[in-house]
Amino acid sequence: MSTSRFISLTASIFMMIISVCCIPFSYPTKEVCKKMSHSKMTGKATRLSDRIDISGQFESAENGTVHFFPKGEVIWGNMSGVYEVKGDTIYADLYSSPNRRVFGDWSMRQSKFSISSDGNIHLLYSKIYYGGHYTFDVPKDKLPILFRFKTLEITPRIPKFLYTTKWLWNDEKTRKLNEIKYLKQYDN
């Protein structure tokens, strides 16, 4: 076999592997995330801090840390998004934007936490959108999972894409005002 034929064949096999492993439609598009998201940013306080201390983070040995912020922002690992509180339950829609990923488009996780009387939270379910459908990324037999509160000296930075992504907000005017505040706070 000639060298050029070998290189051509190798390149073809490599491209087939990449196209199978990194199919863009394996991840939800922005439009799918918009349609499936339950929570929207409002720029107003969620009042979660009236119920539990959110000045730190919630930790689980197996599932990492979750940070809640007063105006509905949430960070869990490498995903960020929006949460809302209904009664004793926190509903969170988390995203990994394309600029934070090596391959693919947006990824999306929907999670539900219960607020316990001791100031901790319990994960009731977590499902991730992948390959055109949801899969539970935490096995149901492992639920509920306790996340214990831990104080922090340094609060993590809220990702900028939460303030620049228009469809995450209830209205554009509020988004623009909050984006300006964000830029003043973080982009000095």
Side-chain angles (χ1 to χ4, degrees), residues 4-6 9 20 30 42 48 50 56 58 70-72 91 100 103 108 129 131 134-136 146 164 184:
S4 63
R5 175 104 171 114
F6 176 77
L9 182 61
V20 169
K30 176 175 67 173
T42 63
L48 179 59
D50 293 350
F58 294 88
K71 292 188 177 181
Y91 297 90
R100 298 182 74 186
F103 298 108
M108 180 178 187
Y129 189 85
Y134 277 112
T135 57
F136 285 90
L146 174 65
T164 58
K184 284 181 182 177

Side-chain angles (χ1 to χ4, degrees), residues 55-172:
S55 63
Q57 66 186 12
F58 294 88
E59 291 184 342
S60 163
E62 305 85 25
N63 296 287
T65 60
V66 179
H67 303 269
F68 295 100
F69 296 87
K71 292 188 177 181
E73 307 96 332
V74 60
I75 299 173
W76 184 359
N78 67 345
M79 299 182 89
S80 306
V82 184
Y83 75 89
E84 63 182 334
V85 181
K86 293 181 182 175
D88 290 336
T89 307
I90 304 167
Y91 297 90
D93 290 340
L94 296 125
Y95 310 93
S96 184
S97 69
N99 61 349
R100 298 182 74 186
R101 300 181 59 80
V102 176
F103 298 108
D105 204 343
W106 291 76
S107 61
M108 180 178 187
R109 169 187 277 158
Q110 290 184 323
S111 302
K112 180 178 171 182
F113 299 90
S114 66
I115 302 168
S116 63
S117 58
D118 61 2
N120 296 309
I121 59 174
H122 291 87
L123 178 66
L124 301 177
Y125 75 77
S126 179
K127 55 187 181 176
I128 198 158
Y129 189 85
Y130 178 79
H133 62 280
Y134 277 112
T135 57
F136 285 90
D137 61 330
V138 178
K140 291 180 184 181
D141 63 339
K142 302 270 186 198
L143 297 171
I145 296 173
L146 174 65
F147 281 74
R148 295 188 185 279
F149 179 77
K150 179 183 175 187
T151 56
L152 290 176
E153 291 183 21
I154 299 172
T155 304
R157 182 178 177 159
I158 300 168
K160 187 175 181 178
F161 87 89
L162 291 178
Y163 289 89
T164 58
T165 305
K166 295 178 181 180
W167 57 267
L168 286 175
W169 287 80
N170 272 347
D171 67 85
E172 179 61 10

Side-chain angles (χ1 to χ4, degrees), residues 3 13 22 47 54-55 66 135 140 173 175:
T3 305
I13 291 171
C22 308
R47 304 188 58 88
I54 60 170
S55 63
V66 179
T135 57
K140 291 180 184 181
K173 182 179 177 183
R175 186 200 65 79

Side-chain angles (χ1 to χ4, degrees), residues 8-75:
S8 175
L9 182 61
T10 304
S12 296
I13 291 171
F14 177 75
M15 292 306 291
M16 278 182 15
I17 291 169
I18 292 295
S19 67
V20 169
C21 295
C22 308
I23 300 172
F25 55 82
S26 294
Y27 298 98
T29 63
K30 176 175 67 173
E31 288 73 28
V32 170
C33 287
K34 283 169 60 172
K35 181 180 175 184
M36 294 182 348
S37 65
H38 296 101
S39 304
K40 297 286 185 189
M41 300 275 283
T42 63
K44 298 177 184 171
T46 64
R47 304 188 58 88
L48 179 59
S49 60
D50 293 350
R51 307 285 305 281
I52 54 176
D53 189 353
I54 60 170
S55 63
Q57 66 186 12
F58 294 88
E59 291 184 342
S60 163
E62 305 85 25
N63 296 287
T65 60
V66 179
H67 303 269
F68 295 100
F69 296 87
K71 292 188 177 181
E73 307 96 332
V74 60
I75 299 173

